[in-house]
Amino acid sequence: MTALFNFQSLLLVILLTICTSTYAHYVFPGIMDRNKDSYYMAPFWKSARVGERLSPYVSLACVVMAVVEFMG
């Protein structure tokens, strides 16, 4: 079953995309800022913005998903 058909896996993929994009923007800010209007880089730039602005909620979601994966 792919991540698109399983809601929990889809949430995990979205959360990991947000976390990875935020880290990549922190390490390489010039590359993501320069290509923020690109068709392929725009979703990652937007994910990085979400991760930067909502970092307490994203980290809480990471902890919740870790507990859910561990328990289930």
Side-chain angles (χ1 to χ4, degrees):
M1 185 179 293
T2 65
L4 297 176
F5 299 123
N6 188 353
F7 185 68
Q8 183 178 352
S9 297
L10 178 65
L11 286 178
L12 187 62
V13 167
I14 291 170
L15 190 61
L16 288 174
T17 302
I18 290 171
C19 293
T20 304
S21 297
T22 304
Y23 178 74
H25 186 260
Y26 177 73
V27 174
F28 306 112
I31 294 172
M32 291 189 82
D33 288 338
R34 183 178 35 212
N35 297 320
K36 69 180 176 183
D37 295 327
S38 169
Y39 180 74
Y40 296 107
M41 291 295 286
F44 299 110
W45 184 81
K46 291 176 184 177
S47 296
R49 288 289 163 217
V50 168
E52 290 172 356
R53 295 181 180 173
L54 300 175
S55 61
Y57 300 111
V58 171
S59 63
L60 181 65
C62 285
V63 170
V64 168
M65 289 301 288
V67 168
V68 167
E69 288 293 323
F70 180 73
M71 298 299 246

